[in-house]
Amino acid sequence: MRHRSPFLWLLDKEWRELLVSRAWWVLLFAMGPLVGVSFISAVRTYAEVSGLNGTSAGVGEALSPLTGVWAPTFSACELAAVFLLPFVAIRLVAGDRQSGALKLELQQGMSPFARITAKTLVLLAGWLAAMLPPLSAILLWKSYGGSVYPPELLTLTFGHVLNAGLTIGLAAAMSSFTEHPSTAAILTLGVTVGTWIVNFFGAIQGGWWERAAGYTPAAMVAEFQHGLLRLDTVLVALVLTLAGLGLAAIWMRLGIAVNRRACESIGVCILAAGGIFACTFLTPGGSLLRTSWDTSESRSNSFPEADEAALRQIHAPLRIEAHLAPEDPRRLDLEHHALSKLRRIMPKLEVQYVSGTSIGLFEQTRAGYGEIWYDLAGRRTMSRVTTAEGVLESIYSLAGVAPPPENDEAVFRGHPLAEPPTGAGAIFYALWPGLVVASGILVSQRFK
Amino acid sequence: MLFEVNGFSKRFGSIAALTDVSFHVRAGEVLGLIGPNGAGKSTLFECLAGVLPSDGGALRANGRPVETRERSSLLFYVPDAIAPWPAQSVRWALDFTIGFLRGPAPLGKEVPLREELIDQLDLRQLLGQPIGTLSKGQRKRVLLAIGLLTPQPALLIDEPFEGLDLRQARDIASTLRAHAARGRTLFLSIHQISDAARFCDRFVLLSSGRVCGEGTVSELAALAAAHHGSPPHQDLEEVFLALT
């Protein structure tokens, strides 16, 4: 018997517990078909848009593999993180309590934070194993002759690992709070549904709801799917994950009075709220926390480089007041095609939406509805255009900056690929599930 | 004296599980905690081990209080009716006990001790079996091995003879005796008073969460006699009935 540190023994134990967890094997098994459906469908559509089977070629220029193939393929991870991963995490955290092992292990004296760290490391390793199917899809895509741009794929993968971290933190906290795993599962799914409701309200109500909805797991993943890596989003996700793990560690200490654990939990929640507030609201102009990186090959989150250079010359604070309702499609256009890009390049930008209703349908006749007011250093102008070009034009005219000449060479042309997803069905519907089943049988025999 | 328990109390809502429980534990003795089902024996052990918060009371060793987080250096508690790490083999559980539960100290005599316990508790046939597949008695023997492999000076075992047949109970009693003879203090919760009478040096009588008496059979008999004004009885069952 080799001498190892107690933490390594704990890691060994958690890994063995993961290996015997049926929930984890189900997660591994399901990832093959889930990724297969998404990948095959995405590659087919991509091929058709690129001119396969006589469809008009050339439209593929508008497609990038990130939005055309990888975002839908990796969406299987999002699905698994919501509906499967919580059960794996709950099994690993609540299992000790159910079997009575926690009563023995707590007497070792190891910090509960070290214990929850071991569980988290093992769960993340288990999640990375579950991400092998989408990662293997990259090799398959390469074999078709597809283009791969590593920075955007790394961002996307990182986003899904971060999302898994959030799920693990949440499930671990719920497992420690509750006596029974089924209660933990209900509460975990309840919180997830709660974030969907926040998204829903954000889309309808706008305002604070919209701001909160920007930090839900679904919104976070959507950013990564576009190749956008925002420091504040990453920090908020890390704060939430650490808060969940901290709560799990606090409630794991069965020997501490409930009142004290509750007080400590409130402390953790206050710290987490403070951290989130600092990341989201205390972001004065030029703050490091506003830093973001557009890792997409198509620069889908950025204006053309020449425009960005021109915008950087404008140092005065810019205020935009848009009279558009939250559900008005023009507002979505304005936000996604112009303002989200503008925020990245102009930290002193202040945007305010004004509307009396959520859908805007009955406001159309109101004077002033649809107007977008720009205020730069006391100079004001109004426009109704919601495209990126229209917004830039208004800003340039206010700032007295000459618009940069258009550069056709800098425009992303896309990577059309008119190839069917040959062999993908065999890999994701047969080979991967077969490998998982065979490995599962081998492991279960080893543990018999 | 190894440690002293002063005024332990524990409530579950309106139910008082422990009320002002006080007694002391001597180094190297086999102390029996006896009482009927529901007397609070397991609750007391869990509070002492720090896996259940007590509402009040202190545990003192060498004249100073031992906080919950420090108890792992003084005592180890083996609960009853648990099946820890049910998918792992008995061999792995014993290794895990040596590697993890005993802490970061380098390996000493634990490996020979493990082999000795495997023979003493008749575990060799079970080494490859997952703990979750063991019978109640087999699981109890594994739990005893886990407890005896830990390094703490005091070992608290909840119902050590529960689920064992007569022969196994006797074998385990002699194994526990052998470990007590090496200086390990054993504090055993036993609801079968006849078992306790055969095995323990001293007793703590617990009834409805209160200590009714503490001492050897003779001391308890004298206490019972003093209470009832009758001649002392040397049968522990009679003494228990008289005191509770």
Side-chain angles (χ1 to χ4, degrees):
Chain A
M1 194 183 147
R2 285 184 298 124
H3 178 69
R4 285 186 289 189
S5 76
F7 186 75
L8 287 180
W9 272 103
L10 196 61
L11 273 181
D12 174 60
K13 174 231 153 188
E14 301 299 352
W15 179 246
R16 295 170 73 97
E17 290 293 315
L18 183 75
L19 285 179
V20 297
S21 157
R22 285 201 189 106
W24 184 61
W25 289 102
V26 169
L27 166 68
L28 286 183
F29 182 90
M31 280 303 279
L34 278 175
V35 170
V37 168
S38 319
F39 180 70
I40 290 167
S41 158
V43 171
R44 272 200 193 123
T45 308
Y46 200 93
E48 285 168 9
V49 173
S50 302
L52 184 73
N53 297 336
T55 53
S56 54
V59 190
E61 286 179 359
L63 279 178
S64 81
L66 178 65
T67 49
V69 176
W70 301 126
T73 300
F74 276 74
S75 65
C77 297
E78 198 180 353
L79 211 58
V82 170
F83 293 110
L84 297 172
L85 183 62
F87 296 98
V88 181
I90 288 167
R91 159 73 171 76
L92 207 66
V93 178
D96 291 343
R97 195 167 180 163
Q98 290 291 301
S99 70
L102 186 59
K103 284 181 182 172
L104 296 177
E105 291 175 22
L106 281 176
Q107 296 180 68
Q108 195 270 356
M110 180 179 276
S111 147
F113 296 98
R115 288 176 48 76
I116 205 71
T117 301
K119 286 182 189 295
T120 306
L121 289 175
V122 166
L123 282 166
L124 283 176
W127 176 250
L128 288 177
M131 283 186 78
L132 283 176
L135 294 174
S136 62
I138 298 170
L139 297 178
L140 208 55
W141 174 253
K142 281 284 281 181
S143 75
Y144 300 154
S147 164
V148 169
Y149 186 65
E152 61 189 16
L153 277 173
L154 281 173
T155 299
L156 185 59
T157 308
F158 175 67
H160 283 289
V161 172
L162 209 58
N163 188 35
L166 272 172
T167 304
I168 290 167
L170 174 64
M174 295 305 168
S175 305
S176 283
F177 276 145
T178 54
E179 288 283 333
H180 204 274
S182 57
T183 316
I186 289 167
L187 287 176
T188 305
L189 288 178
V191 172
T192 304
V193 171
T195 64
W196 295 344
I197 292 170
V198 170
N199 283 334
F200 179 71
F201 273 101
I204 292 175
Q205 304 283 340
W208 292 92
W209 283 104
E210 193 173 17
R211 196 147 190 181
Y215 294 98
T216 58
M220 183 189 80
V221 168
E223 281 178 3
F224 288 107
Q225 282 176 337
H226 288 97
L228 182 63
L229 186 61
R230 272 174 53 183
L231 186 59
D232 60 342
T233 305
V234 172
L235 288 176
V236 167
L238 286 176
V239 165
L240 286 172
T241 304
L242 289 175
L245 296 175
L247 290 174
I250 286 170
W251 287 89
M252 204 177 261
R253 298 175 306 163
L254 303 178
I256 303 295
V258 171
N259 286 348
R260 189 174 147 192
R261 282 186 273 171
C263 288
E264 289 174 354
S265 302
I266 292 168
V268 166
C269 290
I270 290 171
L271 273 177
I276 292 167
F277 186 78
C279 292
T280 53
F281 296 110
L282 297 182
T283 49
S287 163
L288 177 71
L289 293 172
R290 275 275 176 94
T291 308
S292 63
W293 297 270
D294 183 3
T295 62
S296 65
E297 189 183 14
S298 61
R299 291 177 53 83
S300 61
N301 309 289
S302 314
F303 291 120
E305 283 182 43
D307 283 307
E308 288 195 344
L311 288 169
R312 278 197 194 95
Q313 292 171 13
I314 304 169
H315 300 293
L318 172 65
R319 187 169 184 279
I320 298 176
E321 189 177 284
H323 293 254
L324 291 166
E327 287 190 77
D328 193 319
R330 285 175 290 174
R331 177 163 158 177
L332 294 177
D333 271 349
L334 178 71
E335 183 61 42
H336 291 139
H337 295 137
L339 298 189
S340 61
K341 296 175 183 177
L342 207 55
R343 278 194 193 93
R344 296 190 54 242
I345 207 76
M346 295 185 79
K348 290 181 184 173
L349 172 69
E350 186 191 335
V351 178
Q352 189 181 7
Y353 287 107
V354 180
S355 68
T357 62
S358 61
I359 54 174
L361 188 63
F362 305 107
E363 283 189 82
Q364 301 285 348
T365 53
R366 182 172 63 81
Y369 185 79
E371 290 178 354
I372 302 163
W373 283 91
Y374 298 82
D375 186 333
L376 185 77
R379 293 185 298 278
R380 278 167 65 84
T381 187
M382 191 278 285
S383 164
R384 287 177 177 271
V385 184
T386 57
T387 60
E389 292 77 11
V391 169
L392 286 176
E393 197 181 302
S394 300
I395 295 171
Y396 290 147
S397 71
L398 264 186
V401 174
E406 284 190 15
N407 180 4
D408 282 350
E409 284 178 15
V411 175
F412 177 69
R413 297 286 173 197
H415 299 286
L417 182 73
E419 286 290 331
T422 314
I427 288 173
F428 295 116
Y429 299 147
L431 185 63
W432 175 259
L435 270 175
V436 171
V437 169
S439 308
I441 291 169
L442 278 174
V443 167
S444 71
Q445 281 181 343
R446 199 185 152 207
F447 279 84
K448 262 184 186 170
Chain B
M1 188 170 64
L2 186 64
F3 64 86
E4 185 184 357
V5 175
N6 281 330
F8 260 68
S9 60
K10 174 71 186 171
R11 294 187 74 86
F12 294 106
S14 60
I15 299 165
L18 298 173
T19 307
D20 195 24
V21 171
S22 302
F23 58 91
H24 64 277
V25 179
R26 295 171 185 164
E29 73 173 345
V30 179
L31 180 64
L33 177 66
I34 57 176
N37 289 330
K41 302 188 294 296
S42 301
T43 303
L44 175 60
F45 272 8
E46 296 201 343
C47 289
L48 289 176
V51 294
L52 184 70
S54 60
D55 297 336
L59 192 151
R60 302 175 73 86
N62 300 321
R64 67 172 195 87
V66 183
E67 297 300 325
T68 306
R69 61 177 181 280
E70 300 169 325
R71 305 232 177 112
S72 59
S73 61
L74 179 67
L75 51 88
F76 189 85
Y77 159 58
V78 180
D80 182 35
I82 61 167
W85 322 294
Q88 311 301 335
S89 69
V90 173
R91 182 192 301 281
W92 177 87
L94 298 181
D95 287 349
F96 181 71
T97 302
I98 296 172
F100 177 74
L101 291 180
R102 68 181 299 280
L107 286 174
K109 295 176 180 171
E110 287 75 17
V111 176
L113 177 61
R114 177 190 64 189
E115 294 305 310
E116 183 189 329
L117 284 169
I118 286 170
D119 291 331
Q120 285 176 341
L121 297 169
D122 196 18
L123 297 175
R124 202 159 292 282
Q125 302 288 324
L126 307 176
L127 287 176
Q129 275 199 49
I131 292 172
T133 64
L134 300 178
S135 71
K136 195 177 175 186
Q138 290 170 331
R139 221 159 52 210
K140 176 61 76 179
R141 277 146 53 200
V142 172
L143 285 172
L144 288 172
I146 287 170
L148 290 169
L149 275 171
T150 56
Q152 288 82 349
L155 181 60
L156 280 56
I157 309 177
D158 197 359
E159 300 293 353
F161 307 115
E162 188 77 3
L164 302 176
D165 59 37
L166 182 62
R167 191 180 304 277
Q168 285 174 338
R170 284 191 172 195
D171 290 347
I172 280 168
S174 65
T175 301
L176 290 175
R177 266 281 164 212
H179 284 266
R182 292 177 197 171
R184 190 97 190 251
T185 304
L186 300 179
F187 188 12
L188 314 175
S189 140
I190 304 171
H191 77 275
Q192 288 291 348
I193 296 173
S194 53
D195 287 341
R198 278 202 305 272
F199 186 66
C200 301
D201 303 324
R202 286 196 322 124
F203 307 90
V204 173
L205 307 190
L206 198 66
S207 178
S208 302
R210 292 175 186 276
V211 173
C212 306
E214 178 193 353
T216 60
V217 176
S218 313
E219 287 165 350
L220 290 170
L223 185 67
H227 274 218
H228 295 277
S230 55
H233 210 294
Q234 289 301 317
D235 181 68
L236 185 61
E237 286 182 359
E238 295 300 326
V239 170
F240 180 80
L241 290 173
L243 285 172
T244 57

